[in-house]
Amino acid sequence: MTHKQSIHKTIMELPFKVCFMNYKKSIFFAVLACVVGPCLAWAQPAFEVTHQTGIEFSNKHVVVLEDSTQRLTAEQAMQQLDRFVPASEITSFKPSVNYWIYQKLVSKLDSDRAFRIEPTGWKNLTAHIYFADGKITTFKPIGFVGTHNPFLTQSPQNTAIHQFSSQFPVFTLPQHEEVQVLTRVNFQPIFPAKTFSISFTDNQLFSEFRRFSLYVEGLLLGILFALTIFALFNAFQSKDKVNFYYALWISIAFFSVSSLSIIDGHRLFEFFIDIEHKQTDAAENLAYIISIGLAFSQSISYVFFARQYLGIKTHFPKIQWISNIWIAFTLFYGFLALTGAFYPADTPFSVNGFTRVYSVSVGLILLMLFVCSYRRYKAGFGFAIFFTYAVVPYLIFRVGFLFGIVGLPSPFSYLPDHALGYFLKNPWTNQAFGVCLEALIMALAVISRARWLQSELTASARKQTELIEQQNTILEAKVHERTQELSAKHELVVSSVNYASRLQRGQLPRAIRVEGRFESFATIWEPRDTIGGDLYWISSSQHEGPFVLSVADCTGHGVPGAMLSLLVSNSLERIYANDSLEDPSSALKSLDHYVRTGLNQDRPDAESDDGCDAAILKIDRRLQRIEFAGAKIDLFHVDNAGQFHRYASKRISLGYQHKLNPADIPQTTVISYNKGDLFAIVTDGLTQATRADFDHAPP
């Protein structure tokens, strides 16, 4: 064999030896892992429960298995204890996986004790207890939304002890024995878990310790419930936008606080609404959706109320614009949270990014509202000081709660671990406390604002009343002054009309023209407006033989009618002054001419179109004969035998702009009469009169 061949052989044998040696090492380490790994898990030191152990405790030394498939069962997890690693080696929490936490508890007590497993911030926690005698107990899932109390509808007297099953995962740790605790947990990104150490509490002692916290919870919810009733009633009564938004916010705040995960569950779902086993198509259950939805709604409704109370839109338009952006971001973030949209990714931003941005934005929006309220107070809106005071505790408690979400130490973590300090250390309880303080102070603000508005309204009403009274005084003086002026003018007009009435009465026939011409003669002459357009006329008594009686009805009432009646009366005097025996037909024709020309209505530029109706009787007592002609005024005759006769007139009027046609001229009718016959002539003032006219006629 040559040297070259020897080298080639050596080279060929070397990889084979190396591979063979690596193969043996792999088998060795695999066997070692299979043997030693489980031993390491089983060799994990058990947490000793002694008389010195606190009522609430947790094991810091647990091992964890990351289940990315989310399909492992408890039995399969127990078979893979070699894969569990110490919790300190897991540096980040992933929302898309399940975690299996394994630990052991050993009792150093002299009696059996019942312990309760707390969810410790996990969304879902399912516990499996492995006892030394081989017994396995699996509890129903608990977590962020708590559980429903199954004994609300059961009587303690009628429920047997063996039928009792706690709503919480409670197990008994036998004295001087060891149990294995395997829990499956997962979380949702908005409220990521902080530790793998599961909390245990002594069930009996912790229930005594919780009495104070439960009392405080009831006090907070009682205050919010009373404020909700007050706000709803006030909003309904006042119809005011500020009161409406306050009622909206406080109502949502009440239900939001009742659904908060306060120490050991949600009171809303524990005592009132059983939706523990109801699921939706979203990644979360219905209780979680309601709780988170109420939390986001409470924040948004608070901003709406603050904007309305402080008048942000009017006084701080830029802040209004910024708050609109914040509301839109909150709605988007809430949508992602409620639909589980964070789950597909395990990047740091997908888990904590939106949460941290939202936490910072809440603090900033509260600070902006604080500054706006202070500036409104300085500008003269005195009741803004209530909002300034109220936003301080709300900001402190809210920011403290958000600190806990993003992993920063909350200021309340430094409070003592007893009484109210223990209560406020829980991030949910201090948020509820802050909301309650805010609601109380804002209730005072709303009441004070309402009283201020009422006082302003009262003052305004008083000023309006005083102004009205002043205006009434001025108006009364003006009315009195005007009344006096009108009264003086009225007296002048009345005296003038009365004077005109005397003149009109003076142109009526005097007694000398009536005496000796009639057996009896009666007239009713009552102008509607003191003076009027009706008249009767009798020819002069200086002429012997037949005489003339005429009745006329001029157009118009009052002064216009009276003026026209004078023209008619003078025209009749003129007609019969020329010829005392002129027949009625000719006289009516002449009257038509005199009235038309007297009013210049025979000219193209005439401004009036007036006239009269008339009847003329030429009476011859010697021959007992009457010659009658009428224009729209009839003659009525009742003879001594009681027979009634009506002599119709021509249905035309006299004196108007249009001349009478020859055919329209009224013709003379000759009437014979006997002693005792009665004749009557009436104008339309009588025939068209109403009952009211007679009722108001002078006696």
Side-chain angles (χ1 to χ4, degrees):
M1 181 180 299
T2 65
H3 179 69
K4 185 176 181 179
Q5 289 175 335
S6 177
I7 294 175
H8 178 73
K9 181 179 179 182
T10 303
I11 293 174
M12 291 295 293
E13 290 176 352
L14 183 59
F16 175 77
K17 290 180 180 179
V18 173
C19 292
F20 181 73
M21 291 177 63
N22 289 340
Y23 175 72
K24 289 193 294 182
K25 287 182 180 179
S26 298
I27 295 176
F28 172 77
F29 285 116
V31 172
L32 183 65
C34 293
V35 175
V36 178
C39 292
L40 289 175
W42 284 93
Q44 179 198 16
F47 183 88
E48 295 184 354
V49 181
T50 67
H51 292 288
Q52 301 301 320
T53 303
I55 296 175
E56 182 179 11
F57 63 90
S58 61
N59 183 6
K60 306 298 182 183
H61 306 287
V62 299
V63 290
V64 181
L65 173 65
E66 186 178 291
D67 176 18
S68 59
T69 65
Q70 299 186 355
R71 296 178 180 178
L72 283 181
T73 63
E75 182 180 357
Q76 292 172 337
M78 290 295 290
Q79 293 174 357
Q80 301 181 40
L81 287 177
D82 59 302
R83 296 178 54 198
F84 281 70
V85 298
S88 59
E89 296 184 11
I90 299 179
T91 57
S92 62
F93 294 87
K94 301 177 181 180
S96 62
V97 302
N98 288 337
Y99 292 97
W100 292 90
I101 304 172
Y102 176 81
Q103 58 188 311
K104 291 184 288 187
L105 302 178
V106 60
S107 173
K108 300 297 183 179
L109 303 173
D110 296 329
S111 61
D112 298 345
R113 297 294 293 180
F115 292 95
R116 189 172 82 189
I117 301 175
E118 302 293 343
T120 324
W122 294 95
K123 186 190 72 173
N124 284 315
L125 183 149
T126 304
H128 308 269
I129 310 297
Y130 296 84
F131 294 91
D133 59 2
K135 179 182 176 183
I136 302 175
T137 300
T138 300
F139 296 99
K140 66 180 181 179
I142 62 170
F144 177 79
V145 298
T147 55
H148 185 69
N149 192 319
F151 298 101
L152 292 174
T153 58
Q154 299 182 20
S155 168
Q157 290 84 10
N158 299 327
T159 303
I161 295 177
H162 72 277
Q163 294 177 327
F164 177 82
S165 178
S166 176
Q167 69 187 85
F168 304 104
V170 178
F171 68 95
T172 300
L173 179 62
Q175 60 177 333
H176 303 297
E177 289 190 12
E178 182 181 275
V179 297
Q180 302 174 70
V181 181
L182 180 67
T183 52
R184 184 188 65 189
V185 296
N186 57 39
F187 71 94
Q188 54 85 25
I190 297 183
F191 308 108
K194 303 297 187 301
T195 178
F196 286 107
S197 298
I198 304 299
S199 293
F200 299 88
T201 57
D202 186 297
N203 192 50
Q204 178 181 355
L205 297 179
F206 188 74
S207 63
E208 297 290 332
F209 187 79
R210 278 280 288 132
R211 288 168 63 87
F212 176 76
S213 297
L214 290 172
Y215 176 82
V216 175
E217 288 180 39
L219 179 63
L220 295 180
L221 286 175
I223 291 173
L224 289 176
F225 180 76
L227 292 178
T228 300
I229 299 300
F230 155 75
L232 291 173
F233 176 79
N234 195 32
F236 178 78
Q237 290 291 325
S238 65
K239 303 296 188 300
D240 179 62
K241 283 188 177 181
V242 171
N243 292 331
F244 168 77
Y245 282 111
Y246 176 73
L248 177 65
W249 169 62
I250 200 65
S251 300
I252 297 176
F254 167 72
F255 287 105
S256 178
V257 169
S258 67
S259 68
L260 291 177
S261 183
I262 298 180
I263 300 181
D264 52 11
H266 296 198
R267 304 299 162 245
L268 180 64
F269 307 126
E270 181 179 359
F271 298 118
F272 301 102
I273 305 176
D274 182 9
I275 53 176
E276 181 179 343
H277 304 294
K278 292 182 174 62
Q279 299 291 326
T280 66
D281 294 333
E284 316 300 338
N285 60 29
L286 186 58
Y288 167 74
I289 291 177
I290 294 176
S291 178
I292 299 302
L294 286 171
F296 282 111
S297 300
Q298 188 266 133
S299 299
I300 293 174
S301 61
Y302 177 78
V303 173
F304 274 114
F305 162 64
R307 296 196 313 182
Q308 194 68 36
Y309 184 86
L310 297 174
I312 297 294
K313 185 176 181 180
T314 303
H315 301 280
F316 308 99
K318 292 184 179 179
I319 302 299
Q320 176 83 3
W321 182 75
I322 294 173
S323 64
N324 287 335
I325 296 177
W326 180 86
I327 291 171
F329 170 74
T330 302
L331 290 173
F332 175 70
Y333 176 58
F335 171 77
L336 296 180
L338 293 175
T339 57
F342 289 114
Y343 281 90
D346 288 324
T347 63
F349 184 78
S350 67
V351 177
N352 296 319
F354 274 101
T355 302
R356 290 177 177 175
V357 172
Y358 174 70
S359 302
V360 173
S361 70
V362 170
L364 291 177
I365 201 73
L366 290 176
L367 283 175
M368 285 190 292
L369 293 176
F370 174 81
V371 173
C372 291
S373 64
Y374 183 76
R375 291 182 61 183
R376 288 282 285 132
Y377 171 70
K378 286 296 186 180
F381 184 57
F383 296 99
I385 195 64
F386 287 99
F387 191 93
T388 306
Y389 291 150
V391 79
V392 171
Y394 188 70
L395 178 63
I396 293 174
F397 284 98
R398 185 75 176 178
V399 171
F401 167 75
L402 296 174
F403 275 14
I405 291 179
V406 299
L408 298 175
S410 170
F412 301 99
S413 62
Y414 301 101
L415 294 174
D417 287 329
H418 59 268
L420 190 60
Y422 177 81
F423 179 79
L424 292 178
K425 274 192 171 184
N426 184 289
W428 300 100
T429 57
N430 63 57
Q431 182 186 5
F433 202 81
V435 170
C436 191
L437 284 178
E438 169 79 3
L440 277 172
I441 299 175
M442 290 313 302
L444 297 177
V446 169
I447 294 173
S448 300
R449 177 182 175 275
R451 294 184 64 182
W452 175 74
L453 290 176
Q454 185 63 39
S455 63
E456 288 292 312
L457 183 62
T458 302
S460 177
R462 187 182 301 111
K463 290 181 180 179
Q464 291 290 336
T465 302
E466 293 175 356
L467 180 60
I468 291 173
E469 290 177 353
Q470 292 176 358
Q471 291 177 342
N472 286 339
T473 302
I474 296 173
L475 182 60
E476 288 175 358
K478 290 288 185 181
V479 169
H480 180 69
E481 179 182 353
R482 186 60 177 165
T483 300
Q484 288 182 333
E485 293 178 0
L486 292 176
S487 178
K489 292 180 179 179
H490 176 71
E491 290 179 0
L492 180 61
V493 171
V494 169
S495 62
S496 178
V497 170
N498 289 335
Y499 184 56
S501 177
R502 289 196 299 271
L503 294 177
Q504 188 176 27
R505 289 180 181 275
Q507 59 92 31
L508 293 176
R510 291 169 291 176
I512 191 173
R513 291 193 177 190
V514 177
E515 293 174 354
R517 290 182 168 180
F518 303 96
E519 284 291 324
S520 62
F521 183 81
T523 61
I524 300 176
W525 185 78
E526 294 293 341
R528 192 188 70 177
D529 301 318
T530 307
I531 56 178
D534 291 356
L535 76 152
Y536 64 96
W537 178 85
I538 300 176
S539 62
S540 174
S541 59
Q542 295 180 357
H543 301 286
E544 295 184 0
F547 63 94
V548 178
L549 169 65
S550 178
V551 175
D553 180 4
C554 301
T555 56
H557 300 282
V559 174
M563 293 179 66
L564 193 54
S565 70
L566 291 176
L567 175 61
V568 172
S569 178
N570 291 334
S571 296
L572 290 172
E573 290 286 350
R574 182 178 178 182
I575 292 169
Y576 283 98
N578 296 330
D579 185 2
S580 62
L581 299 178
E582 186 169 357
D583 66 280
S585 177
S586 299
L588 289 178
K589 181 180 179 181
S590 299
L591 180 62
D592 172 70
H593 171 74
Y594 288 140
V595 171
R596 182 178 298 105
T597 56
L599 296 176
N600 290 321
Q601 294 179 165
D602 56 338
R603 299 175 59 84
D605 58 347
E607 296 182 0
S608 63
D609 189 18
D610 299 295
C612 67
D613 301 333
I616 297 179
L617 285 74
K618 181 179 178 182
I619 304 171
D620 190 340
R621 294 188 64 189
R622 184 176 63 81
L623 299 177
Q624 292 186 327
R625 185 180 68 185
I626 297 177
E627 296 178 9
F628 164 75
K632 284 190 178 180
I633 295 181
D634 299 337
L635 174 65
F636 301 95
H637 174 202
V638 180
D639 59 24
N640 55 13
Q643 295 296 317
F644 176 78
H645 306 276
R646 176 178 180 177
Y647 302 99
S649 61
K650 197 73 171 181
R651 309 314 296 170
I652 52 98
S653 295
L654 309 176
Y656 288 88
Q657 290 183 5
H658 298 289
K659 294 182 179 181
L660 295 179
N661 295 322
D664 293 332
I665 298 175
Q667 300 300 312
T668 301
T669 301
V670 178
I671 305 169
S672 297
Y673 68 90
N674 296 311
K675 186 176 182 180
D677 287 1
L678 176 66
F679 292 89
I681 302 174
V682 297
T683 63
D684 59 5
L686 179 65
T687 58
Q688 296 178 3
T690 63
R691 178 62 183 268
D693 295 326
F694 286 105
D695 291 341
H696 292 86

